[in-house]
Amino acid sequence: MSNSRQLPALLPVLAFAVLGTIWGSNFIYMKLALELISPLQIVFFRVFFGFLPVLAYALIKRELKLEHYRYAHHFVVMALLVAIINYYGFAQGTSLLLSGVAGAVSGAIPLFAFILAVLFIPEERASLLKVIGVGLGFGGVVLIGMPSGEQLADSNLTGVMYMVMGSLSVGSSFIYARKYIVPLKLSTTALTTYQLGAALFILALITDYSGINAIWSDSHAVFGMIINLGILGTGLAYIIYYYIVRELGTITASSVTYLPPVVALLIGSLLVGEPIGLTEYLATAMILAGVILLKTKD
């Protein structure tokens, strides 16, 4: 009897761990796909296969309404910020960095979200602890951007800049959503469907399909693209995240951003054998410490 009661209570915690693991493993699968197709083609496939389960879920729940079309301009902006620019920046950055390092830099997303919130949301305050957190986190980003081992300085820095672009895009989406999307009071399922749908439409128009079929030559890459990056990392991840928000609360759910950098670094170092050294681990710790300070109550 006690076990049956404990299981429902453990589900949100399990979902939390699963989501962090999925997002953290995205980078190694992006690295694998980049050997065959371009970063923009990866983004197209990722959004395509992520959109399908979200659309199915929204249709089952009957969340989509024709009258929502009046907010189409907001959905397009969110599509650009959350999917296109974000995923493209991460794919390009991963093409120039070790997958573990790319994942570690992605942990800086909350830093950008906080800075933009202070600049554009009047009620947000920059306390001393939070300023220290931002400084510590960005110190980690700078440290990880330095050349390591046989990596060239320009390649390393360019890769970090692409990761920063993706992180800044996601951070901007939080501010835009808070100011323009939340007041609409639409369901998160509908919002996710519209955003990914708009992103897929734009990507279908701008993607260069030359050589895109090369992805089908490697079954491991295909598995990673469809299952990890698409269905799990883009589609199911949204559904899991909103489930965690509902069960554990927004603040606890947002802490899931702590996990992907650690997971990515461990996968790159322990499972793939990437030459990740003490500097990368120290930089990751600085980024995570900075993010934790941002979450600290004044």
Side-chain angles (χ1 to χ4, degrees):
M1 186 73 171
S2 60
N3 289 337
S4 62
R5 290 178 180 175
Q6 289 176 354
L7 186 57
L10 288 175
L11 283 177
V13 178
L14 179 61
F16 185 97
V18 168
L19 182 58
T21 303
I22 289 172
W23 278 343
S25 62
N26 280 174
F27 296 93
I28 192 62
Y29 283 108
M30 273 193 279
K31 198 75 173 176
L32 187 63
L34 282 163
E35 297 177 3
L36 301 168
I37 57 177
S38 72
L40 191 58
Q41 290 170 347
I42 289 175
V43 178
F44 171 78
F45 274 131
R46 179 171 188 172
V47 172
F48 177 79
F49 289 112
F51 175 65
L52 296 180
V54 170
L55 176 62
Y57 184 69
L59 291 174
I60 291 171
K61 295 196 68 176
R62 300 183 178 180
E63 298 279 4
L64 307 182
K65 309 293 182 183
L66 187 60
E67 59 265 26
H68 292 164
Y69 81 91
R70 72 186 74 173
Y71 309 123
H73 56 293
H74 290 309
F75 304 147
V76 170
V77 172
M78 287 297 290
L80 290 169
L81 295 176
V82 175
I84 299 175
I85 299 174
N86 167 31
Y87 291 156
Y88 180 74
F90 281 2
Q92 279 282 18
T94 303
S95 72
L96 298 168
L97 298 168
L98 299 174
S99 67
V101 171
V105 179
S106 75
I109 289 174
L111 304 177
F112 292 106
F114 170 71
I115 292 173
L116 292 169
V118 170
L119 291 175
F120 297 105
I121 308 237
E123 55 268 30
E124 287 287 346
R125 295 182 299 109
S127 67
L128 179 59
L129 269 182
K130 291 181 178 179
V131 170
I132 293 174
V134 170
L136 191 61
F138 278 113
V141 173
V142 171
L143 181 63
I144 216 166
M146 294 179 180
S148 174
E150 298 179 355
Q151 292 176 301
L152 297 176
D154 58 344
S155 175
N156 213 42
L157 183 59
T158 302
V160 169
M161 288 299 100
Y162 273 115
M163 295 302 301
V164 166
M165 180 182 80
S167 299
L168 180 59
S169 178
V170 179
S172 301
S173 74
F174 296 153
I175 310 306
Y176 190 90
R178 184 167 170 179
K179 294 191 71 171
Y180 300 109
I181 301 297
V182 173
L184 301 180
K185 300 187 183 302
L186 301 180
S187 76
T188 52
T189 302
L191 285 171
T192 302
T193 306
Y194 297 141
Q195 290 164 21
L196 288 179
L200 181 59
F201 178 77
I202 295 170
L203 287 165
L205 296 177
I206 67 174
T207 300
D208 179 1
Y209 299 100
S210 302
I212 197 171
N213 288 327
I215 189 69
W216 309 114
S217 65
D218 187 325
S219 58
H220 193 189
V222 170
F223 171 86
M225 176 64 64
I226 296 176
I227 305 299
N228 184 274
L229 293 176
I231 295 174
L232 297 181
T234 302
L236 188 61
Y238 278 106
I239 298 172
I240 294 176
Y241 180 75
Y242 292 131
Y243 167 74
I244 295 172
V245 169
R246 186 178 72 246
E247 297 295 323
L248 300 179
T250 304
I251 294 176
T252 302
S254 66
S255 300
V256 75
T257 55
Y258 301 163
L259 297 181
V262 177
V263 171
L265 208 63
L266 291 176
I267 289 176
S269 177
L270 301 179
L271 299 184
V272 183
E274 292 180 341
I276 295 173
L278 182 60
T279 300
E280 286 78 14
Y281 284 109
L282 176 61
T284 303
M286 289 172 65
I287 293 172
L288 291 177
V291 172
I292 291 171
L293 284 178
L294 288 184
K295 306 285 184 181
T296 304
K297 293 183 178 180
D298 301 336

